[in-house]
Amino acid sequence: MRELYITNTLSHEKELFKPLTPGHVGLYVCGPTVYGDAHLGHARPGITYDVLTRLLRNLGYKVRYVRNITDVGHLEHDADEGEDKIAKKARLEALEPMEVVQRYTLAYHEAMRSLNVLPPSIEPHASGHIIEQIAIVQKILDAGYAYESNGSIYFDVQKYNKDHHYGVLSGRSLDDTLEGTRNLDGSDDKRAPYDFALWKKALPEHIMRWPSPWSDGFPGWHLECSAMSEKYLGKEFDIHGGGIDLLFPHHECEIAQNVASRGCGGVHYWMHNNMITIEGKKMGKSLGNFITLEELFSGSHALLQQAYSPMTIRFFILQAHYRSTLDFSNEALIAAQKGLKRLEIAASDIYKMAGASAALGVGGASSVACCAGSGVSGGAGASAGSEAVLSDLASKASAEVAAIVNNVYEALCDDLNTPIALSHIYEAVRLINIEKDHKSNLTQADKDCLASLFKNVVEGVLGLQLDSSSSDNSAARVEGLVEMVLEQRQAAKQAKDWATSDAIRNRLASLGIIIKDTKDGTIWNIE
């Protein structure tokens, strides 16, 4: 099994990944608060941890991937006061809160399906784990790290910090935390402004409430992930992922809750994807500058020059490292669209070169046989252990092709470096295009290996849906049209009508179709 390195936010270093249980990975990722349509900012964590899961399975690990749905307790401005985001949406739309939850959960699932994000192994809802959250609150009270105030329970950050370190993840001191804490009206129940709610007593008008030993109320926002990660992955597990905007206070509070209730931080590797920005500012509902995924797919937002396919969006996100910021622009999306098209054409070409059965990924074709049965059942995506099969194919291929395969995996296993992996995949595209122009001598082993690379990594790990049947049909139409035009050009040349011949060549070039006259005839390629 290849070595995998992950940048651990907890240590701020790139570390060799060593699972708690050999061959098994427990992964928890913070999912959406479902009170509005999924936007481009939601796409990034969805795709990032989808690729991580696919890669782990491709390397041979068995992965339990848990991604939660927040449907209660997330108050406005991520604070401990104000209205519940879902309850507010329900009030504005004259709906029951769970109607809001259902509507936007289904919309989120549909958006993720469009982006080819595989469903998690388990998708728990916060509202379905109230009992577990109450139990954790009681453990923290018993440990002396929480206090009751007017029916609400707050985590005593100062007391905890004396025994442990509040700020171990974010690197903040308690003074830093105090400076960044807003003193909100109505927060007098707290002993200190940086204390955070474990359980909130519901005001009379608050719709979403449950009975507890302290009051009829609801859990604090941070509590749900501690409860659900422990229930489904145990007191200690391998990886916790989420957006960098959740690092503080959400994930910092999770660690404190875990230590206070379990006696350990619980998570061995913390991963955080960076933000997607618009004009340098974070994209988000609270800032009102977001573009929904549906608007991207339809082109209906005022900032969009055109509609963009879900795979263009996925490719756009994969072009940047998950820990770097990614700024939205139409120019970047159009470039991603062109880059994706090059991959689709190359995939169609190499699948043909490797044989029809290889393109379908079924029986008899050694190059992609490892991909058979790569549906979502069991969260497959990229078939378990297919890296080993691809490495075996690479051992039979030329040194140049084998190096490409190895370089792609080295990039992916180096903290999920998808842009570097894509740069090596474009080396494969270059070889395929040279072979298409009959200027190379790729062996059948080379072709099989490259076909497997596209099927197992480009489609399997990176999750880019390259519809071979659609590509084949489109390619056939383009090929027929270009050949028809070249026949007209040949007729013009025979008639010594050089002006028409040059005009046809220039017009094709303006469309990105480059033609070359050789002693064996005219060859062409899409730039």
Side-chain angles (χ1 to χ4, degrees), residues 505-526:
R505 181 191 61 203
N506 294 338
R507 178 59 176 150
L508 288 172
S510 71
L511 297 172
I513 300 171
I514 308 302
I515 63 173
K516 295 179 183 178
D517 293 315
T518 71
K519 63 179 182 179
D520 297 320
T522 301
I523 61 174
W524 60 275
N525 201 1
I526 297 177

Side-chain angles (χ1 to χ4, degrees), residues 72-388:
V72 66
H74 196 168
L75 305 187
E76 294 178 286
H77 314 298
D78 300 345
D80 282 336
E81 301 297 329
E83 197 169 1
D84 184 292
K85 293 183 177 184
I86 290 166
K88 180 179 180 179
K89 186 75 170 181
R91 177 175 55 80
L92 293 174
E93 297 191 8
L95 297 171
E96 284 289 330
M98 287 303 156
E99 284 185 274
V100 172
V101 168
Q102 180 74 350
R103 175 199 293 182
Y104 291 113
T105 299
L106 291 175
Y108 174 76
H109 287 161
E110 183 57 37
M112 292 302 106
R113 275 193 294 272
S114 297
L115 292 167
N116 197 28
V117 171
L118 298 173
S121 312
I122 303 171
E123 190 173 56
H125 288 229
S127 63
H129 297 76
I130 301 297
I131 293 173
E132 291 86 352
Q133 293 178 76
I134 289 173
I136 290 179
V137 175
Q138 189 59 59
K139 287 180 181 179
I140 297 173
L141 279 167
D142 293 343
Y145 294 118
Y147 58 88
E148 182 177 356
S149 180
N150 296 323
S152 294
I153 309 296
Y154 292 97
F155 193 94
D156 192 331
V157 172
Q158 190 170 28
K159 185 173 182 180
Y160 173 86
N161 194 58
K162 289 179 181 178
D163 300 330
H164 307 284
H165 178 198
Y166 183 79
V168 66
L169 185 67
S170 61
R172 299 189 184 201
S173 68
L174 209 56
D175 289 339
D176 294 334
T177 304
L178 184 59
E179 286 180 12
T181 303
R182 296 183 303 156
N183 201 350
L184 297 171
D185 292 338
S187 62
D188 293 340
D189 288 347
K190 296 181 182 182
R191 293 177 183 171
Y194 41 66
D195 292 348
F196 58 90
L198 298 172
W199 185 265
K200 286 287 292 181
K201 181 181 179 180
L203 297 173
E205 65 272 17
H206 201 97
I207 302 171
M208 304 175 77
R209 59 173 68 212
W210 289 264
S212 80
W214 316 287
S215 63
D216 281 0
F218 53 92
W221 172 39
H222 312 306
L223 192 60
E224 62 181 271
C225 291
S226 288
M228 292 186 286
S229 64
E230 181 176 0
K231 175 162 183 160
Y232 297 109
L233 298 174
K235 290 185 177 181
E236 293 186 71
F237 59 93
D238 298 300
I239 305 172
H240 192 315
I244 198 168
D245 55 322
L246 299 177
L247 193 157
F248 187 89
H250 186 53
H251 291 159
E252 194 74 73
C253 293
E254 271 192 64
I255 291 176
Q257 291 167 163
N258 293 349
V259 171
S261 63
R262 306 179 198 176
C264 62
V267 181
H268 285 221
Y269 301 86
W270 284 89
M271 293 180 68
H272 290 92
N273 65 275
N274 217 317
M275 299 178 292
I276 292 182
T277 57
I278 293 183
E279 298 177 346
K281 296 179 181 178
K282 173 195 169 184
M283 178 183 293
K285 291 191 182 78
S286 60
L287 298 175
N289 66 345
F290 64 94
I291 302 174
T292 70
L293 291 172
E294 180 56 38
E295 288 170 334
L296 280 160
F297 301 158
S298 65
S300 59
H301 195 282
L303 290 176
L304 298 174
Q305 293 178 7
Q306 63 176 70
Y308 299 99
S309 73
M311 285 305 99
T312 296
I313 302 303
R314 187 172 180 114
F315 187 80
F316 165 68
I317 288 172
L318 293 175
Q319 284 182 306
H321 192 273
Y322 77 92
R323 291 191 298 108
S324 66
T325 55
L326 178 59
D327 199 54
F328 160 85
S329 71
N330 281 281
E331 292 76 15
L333 285 170
I334 290 170
Q337 189 176 51
K338 292 178 179 178
L340 178 64
K341 188 62 180 176
R342 288 182 63 199
L343 285 183
E344 288 177 337
I345 293 170
S348 177
D349 290 337
I350 195 60
Y351 291 160
K352 288 178 184 176
M353 294 175 193
S357 59
L360 296 172
V362 295
S366 62
S367 62
V368 292
C370 52
C371 290
S374 60
V376 299
S377 177
S383 294
S386 51
E387 184 275 337

